Amino acid sequence: PGDVCVIHAGVYRETVALPRSGEPGKPIRLLAAGDGPVVVSGLEPLALDWQVRDGLWVGATTKPPVQLFFDGQMAREAHTPNGVQGDLMDRPCFHAEKGTGYNGITCSKLPEGDYAGGYVLIWRGGAWTNATVKIKDYTPGKSLTFETPFAPHGDKYHQGDAFKPKAGNRFLLLGSPAALDAPGEWLAEPAAGRILFVPPAGKKPGDLAFETKARDYTLVLKGRTHIQIEGIRFHGGVMALTEASH
């Protein structure tokens, strides 16, 4: 308790976990030295030999990343409809129409392209939960069917099936090459041993620095108290702060 750790500028690719707590009036302090940015990162550099094909960058890899980052920002998995680039909270959706049910979705707005084999993320039924389902068949402007239909659900808390897909439910399409239609999107194709990336306008291989998710946590302070952290940026990972205070 009372110790001060001064950290100089740099990118530290590790998880910071404190083995003990501070005390009232004697906090443990982690401070940036002030000689430049201090970043604790959950990422590792990813070097790929990118090939340019039809506007896409194609990189061979035997182990596709769980998440892909470029120049410090997270690439979004291929999906449609698209939100504003760089804003992960902006997520437009399609809306299911009459005829939607356990076996699939009816929607006159389904875009052109072959989305069979990809996935649909749907906020089904009462729309307080969502589910991701593989697409079996796909007809643009009409409908899609689920590879595994939803089973009817009933419980004592609801009248009818509160989870049955229905008209009005929001959904989006993802995980298909057809959805690679916006800068900053990417798609892993493990069977082909490659990843696909849509570069920002005017960029060429070598212009961007890529990283891959390597650690879930950048900071672990579970149950710790009286800890002070100043001037340090945590990037590409989660902070575990369960029962932490002060």
Side-chain angles (χ1 to χ4, degrees):
D3 284 352
V4 178
C5 178
V6 179
I7 306 172
H8 288 280
V11 177
Y12 298 86
R13 301 183 186 277
E14 58 186 273
T15 299
V16 174
L18 298 188
R20 58 182 59 85
S21 297
E23 296 177 355
K26 294 183 178 180
I28 294 175
R29 305 177 69 199
L30 305 181
L31 309 178
D35 53 356
V38 176
V39 180
V40 177
S41 177
L43 312 178
E44 292 291 342
L46 179 66
L48 293 176
D49 182 17
W50 293 103
Q51 304 295 320
V52 180
R53 301 176 188 172
D54 299 323
L56 294 178
W57 293 5
V58 182
T61 177
T62 57
K63 187 178 181 181
V66 175
Q67 285 182 304
L68 183 69
F69 291 72
F70 64 99
D71 280 4
Q73 63 178 304
M74 190 178 81
R76 294 188 68 169
E77 183 180 3
H79 69 287
T80 191
N82 297 306
V84 176
Q85 182 183 358
D87 185 352
L88 298 180
M89 302 307 293
D90 183 43
R91 177 161 284 184
C93 292
F94 297 112
H95 289 83
E97 299 171 359
K98 182 179 179 180
T100 297
Y102 296 118
N103 295 307
I105 296 173
T106 299
C107 179
S108 60
K109 303 296 185 181
L110 289 175
E112 294 294 325
D114 184 10
Y115 287 83
Y119 295 86
V120 56
L121 172 62
I122 180 172
W123 284 261
R124 59 189 175 120
W128 55 79
T129 63
N130 59 47
T132 302
V133 191
K134 193 169 186 177
I135 300 171
K136 180 180 179 182
D137 298 304
Y138 182 87
T139 304
K142 186 177 180 181
S143 64
L144 61 84
T145 59
F146 306 136
E147 183 172 278
T148 303
F150 287 104
H153 173 87
D155 57 54
K156 64 181 180 180
Y157 303 106
H158 304 95
Q159 292 183 349
D161 189 345
F163 297 94
K164 179 181 180 180
K166 63 181 181 179
N169 283 164
R170 297 175 296 128
F171 71 94
L172 52 85
L173 307 174
L174 66 159
S176 168
L180 277 169
D181 58 357
E185 289 189 337
W186 76 290
L187 179 68
E189 292 189 326
R194 65 184 185 180
I195 61 175
L196 310 177
F197 178 73
V198 183
K203 298 295 184 180
K204 59 183 183 296
D207 289 344
L208 304 178
F210 287 90
E211 296 173 292
T212 180
K213 183 68 173 285
R215 287 166 290 280
D216 289 333
Y217 296 97
T218 51
L219 178 65
V220 178
L221 294 180
K222 294 180 179 180
R224 301 292 176 250
T225 62
H226 301 285
I227 307 295
Q228 294 181 1
I229 299 175
E230 299 178 24
I232 301 172
R233 179 186 174 212
F234 294 87
H235 177 64
V238 177
M239 296 182 181
L241 305 176
T242 305
E243 298 183 356
S245 62
H246 297 89

CSV table of all heavy atoms in Angstrom, one decimal, residues 5 18 58 60 70 73 111-112 127 133 138 147 152 157 159 168 175 187 190 201 224 230 239:
chain,number,residue,atom,x,y,z
A,5,CYS,N,3.8,3.5,-9.1
A,5,CYS,CA,4.5,2.9,-10.2
A,5,CYS,C,4.4,3.9,-11.4
A,5,CYS,O,3.3,4.3,-11.8
A,5,CYS,CB,3.8,1.6,-10.6
A,5,CYS,SG,4.5,0.8,-12.1
A,18,LEU,N,-3.2,-6.3,-10.4
A,18,LEU,CA,-2.6,-6.0,-9.2
A,18,LEU,C,-2.9,-7.1,-8.1
A,18,LEU,O,-4.0,-7.5,-7.9
A,18,LEU,CB,-3.1,-4.7,-8.6
A,18,LEU,CG,-2.7,-3.5,-9.5
A,18,LEU,CD1,-3.1,-2.2,-8.8
A,18,LEU,CD2,-1.3,-3.4,-9.9
A,58,VAL,N,-6.6,-9.4,-49.8
A,58,VAL,CA,-6.7,-10.8,-49.4
A,58,VAL,C,-5.4,-11.2,-48.7
A,58,VAL,O,-4.4,-11.1,-49.3
A,58,VAL,CB,-7.0,-11.7,-50.6
A,58,VAL,CG1,-7.1,-13.2,-50.2
A,58,VAL,CG2,-8.2,-11.2,-51.4
A,60,ALA,N,-3.4,-14.3,-46.7
A,60,ALA,CA,-3.3,-15.7,-46.3
A,60,ALA,C,-2.9,-15.9,-44.8
A,60,ALA,O,-2.0,-15.3,-44.4
A,60,ALA,CB,-2.4,-16.5,-47.2
A,70,PHE,N,-7.1,-2.0,-37.5
A,70,PHE,CA,-6.2,-1.4,-38.4
A,70,PHE,C,-6.0,0.1,-37.9
A,70,PHE,O,-6.9,0.8,-37.6
A,70,PHE,CB,-6.7,-1.5,-39.8
A,70,PHE,CG,-8.0,-0.7,-40.1
A,70,PHE,CD1,-8.0,0.6,-40.6
A,70,PHE,CD2,-9.2,-1.3,-39.8
A,70,PHE,CE1,-9.2,1.2,-40.9
A,70,PHE,CE2,-10.4,-0.6,-40.0
A,70,PHE,CZ,-10.4,0.6,-40.5
A,73,GLN,N,-8.0,1.2,-34.9
A,73,GLN,CA,-9.5,1.1,-34.8
A,73,GLN,C,-9.9,-0.3,-35.2
A,73,GLN,O,-9.3,-1.0,-36.0
A,73,GLN,CB,-10.2,2.1,-35.7
A,73,GLN,CG,-9.9,2.0,-37.2
A,73,GLN,CD,-10.7,3.1,-37.9
A,73,GLN,OE1,-11.9,3.1,-37.9
A,73,GLN,NE2,-9.9,3.9,-38.7
A,111,PRO,N,-31.2,-7.4,-49.9
A,111,PRO,CA,-30.3,-6.9,-51.0
A,111,PRO,C,-29.9,-8.0,-51.9
A,111,PRO,O,-30.0,-9.2,-51.6
A,111,PRO,CB,-29.1,-6.3,-50.2
A,111,PRO,CG,-29.0,-7.2,-49.0
A,111,PRO,CD,-30.4,-7.4,-48.6
A,112,GLU,N,-29.5,-7.6,-53.1
A,112,GLU,CA,-28.9,-8.5,-54.1
A,112,GLU,C,-27.7,-9.1,-53.5
A,112,GLU,O,-27.0,-8.6,-52.7
A,112,GLU,CB,-28.6,-7.7,-55.4
A,112,GLU,CG,-29.8,-7.2,-56.1
A,112,GLU,CD,-30.7,-8.3,-56.6
A,112,GLU,OE1,-30.2,-9.4,-57.0
A,112,GLU,OE2,-32.0,-8.1,-56.6
A,127,ALA,N,-38.1,-9.0,-28.8
A,127,ALA,CA,-36.9,-8.2,-29.2
A,127,ALA,C,-36.0,-7.8,-28.0
A,127,ALA,O,-35.2,-6.9,-28.2
A,127,ALA,CB,-37.3,-7.0,-30.0
A,133,VAL,N,-28.2,-17.0,-36.6
A,133,VAL,CA,-28.6,-18.2,-37.2
A,133,VAL,C,-27.9,-18.3,-38.6
A,133,VAL,O,-27.9,-17.3,-39.3
A,133,VAL,CB,-30.1,-18.3,-37.3
A,133,VAL,CG1,-30.5,-19.8,-37.8
A,133,VAL,CG2,-30.8,-18.0,-36.0
A,138,TYR,N,-31.4,-18.2,-49.7
A,138,TYR,CA,-31.6,-16.8,-49.8
A,138,TYR,C,-32.1,-16.3,-51.1
A,138,TYR,O,-31.6,-16.7,-52.2
A,138,TYR,CB,-30.2,-16.1,-49.5
A,138,TYR,CG,-30.3,-14.6,-49.5
A,138,TYR,CD1,-30.6,-14.0,-48.3
A,138,TYR,CD2,-30.0,-13.9,-50.6
A,138,TYR,CE1,-30.6,-12.6,-48.2
A,138,TYR,CE2,-30.1,-12.5,-50.6
A,138,TYR,CZ,-30.3,-11.8,-49.4
A,138,TYR,OH,-30.4,-10.5,-49.4
A,147,GLU,N,-30.9,-22.3,-41.5
A,147,GLU,CA,-30.4,-23.7,-41.6
A,147,GLU,C,-31.0,-24.5,-40.4
A,147,GLU,O,-31.3,-25.7,-40.6
A,147,GLU,CB,-28.9,-23.7,-41.5
A,147,GLU,CG,-28.3,-25.1,-41.7
A,147,GLU,CD,-26.8,-25.0,-41.8
A,147,GLU,OE1,-26.3,-24.8,-43.0
A,147,GLU,OE2,-26.1,-25.3,-40.8
A,152,PRO,N,-40.4,-23.9,-31.1
A,152,PRO,CA,-41.4,-23.1,-30.3
A,152,PRO,C,-41.0,-23.1,-28.9
A,152,PRO,O,-40.5,-24.0,-28.3
A,152,PRO,CB,-42.7,-23.9,-30.6
A,152,PRO,CG,-42.5,-24.6,-31.9
A,152,PRO,CD,-41.0,-24.9,-31.9
A,157,TYR,N,-44.5,-17.2,-17.9
A,157,TYR,CA,-44.5,-15.8,-17.8
A,157,TYR,C,-45.1,-15.1,-19.0
A,157,TYR,O,-45.3,-13.8,-19.0
A,157,TYR,CB,-43.0,-15.3,-17.7
A,157,TYR,CG,-42.4,-16.0,-16.5
A,157,TYR,CD1,-41.4,-17.0,-16.6
A,157,TYR,CD2,-42.7,-15.6,-15.2
A,157,TYR,CE1,-40.8,-17.6,-15.6
A,157,TYR,CE2,-42.0,-16.2,-14.1
A,157,TYR,CZ,-41.1,-17.2,-14.3
A,157,TYR,OH,-40.5,-17.8,-13.2
A,159,GLN,N,-47.8,-15.1,-22.6
A,159,GLN,CA,-48.9,-15.7,-23.4
A,159,GLN,C,-48.4,-15.9,-24.8
A,159,GLN,O,-47.9,-15.0,-25.4
A,159,GLN,CB,-50.1,-14.8,-23.4
A,159,GLN,CG,-50.8,-14.6,-22.1
A,159,GLN,CD,-52.1,-13.8,-22.2
A,159,GLN,OE1,-52.3,-13.1,-23.2
A,159,GLN,NE2,-52.9,-13.8,-21.1
A,168,GLY,N,-41.8,-7.1,-38.1
A,168,GLY,CA,-41.3,-6.0,-37.3
A,168,GLY,C,-40.0,-6.2,-36.6
A,168,GLY,O,-39.3,-5.2,-36.2
A,175,GLY,N,-21.3,-12.1,-42.1
A,175,GLY,CA,-20.5,-13.3,-42.3
A,175,GLY,C,-20.5,-13.9,-43.7
A,175,GLY,O,-20.3,-15.1,-43.9
A,187,LEU,N,-13.6,-10.1,-43.3
A,187,LEU,CA,-14.3,-11.4,-43.2
A,187,LEU,C,-13.2,-12.5,-43.1
A,187,LEU,O,-12.3,-12.4,-43.9
A,187,LEU,CB,-15.2,-11.6,-44.4
A,187,LEU,CG,-15.9,-13.0,-44.4
A,187,LEU,CD1,-17.0,-13.0,-43.3
A,187,LEU,CD2,-16.6,-13.2,-45.8
A,190,PRO,N,-11.9,-19.3,-42.8
A,190,PRO,CA,-11.0,-20.3,-42.3
A,190,PRO,C,-10.7,-21.5,-43.2
A,190,PRO,O,-9.6,-22.0,-43.4
A,190,PRO,CB,-11.7,-20.8,-41.0
A,190,PRO,CG,-12.5,-19.6,-40.6
A,190,PRO,CD,-13.0,-19.0,-41.9
A,201,ALA,N,-10.6,4.3,-48.6
A,201,ALA,CA,-10.3,4.9,-49.9
A,201,ALA,C,-8.9,5.4,-50.0
A,201,ALA,O,-8.4,6.1,-49.1
A,201,ALA,CB,-11.3,6.0,-50.2
A,224,ARG,N,-10.3,-5.4,-5.8
A,224,ARG,CA,-9.2,-4.5,-5.3
A,224,ARG,C,-9.9,-3.2,-4.9
A,224,ARG,O,-10.9,-2.7,-5.5
A,224,ARG,CB,-8.2,-4.3,-6.4
A,224,ARG,CG,-7.5,-5.5,-6.8
A,224,ARG,CD,-6.6,-6.1,-5.7
A,224,ARG,NE,-6.0,-7.3,-6.1
A,224,ARG,CZ,-6.3,-8.5,-5.6
A,224,ARG,NH1,-7.3,-8.6,-4.7
A,224,ARG,NH2,-5.7,-9.6,-6.0
A,230,GLU,N,-3.7,7.0,-13.6
A,230,GLU,CA,-3.7,8.3,-14.2
A,230,GLU,C,-2.9,8.3,-15.5
A,230,GLU,O,-1.7,7.9,-15.5
A,230,GLU,CB,-3.2,9.4,-13.3
A,230,GLU,CG,-4.0,9.5,-12.0
A,230,GLU,CD,-3.4,10.6,-11.0
A,230,GLU,OE1,-2.7,11.5,-11.5
A,230,GLU,OE2,-3.6,10.5,-9.8
A,239,MET,N,-11.8,-4.4,-19.1
A,239,MET,CA,-11.4,-4.2,-17.7
A,239,MET,C,-12.2,-5.0,-16.8
A,239,MET,O,-13.5,-4.9,-16.8
A,239,MET,CB,-11.5,-2.7,-17.4
A,239,MET,CG,-10.6,-1.8,-18.2
A,239,MET,SD,-10.8,-0.1,-17.6
A,239,MET,CE,-9.7,0.7,-18.7
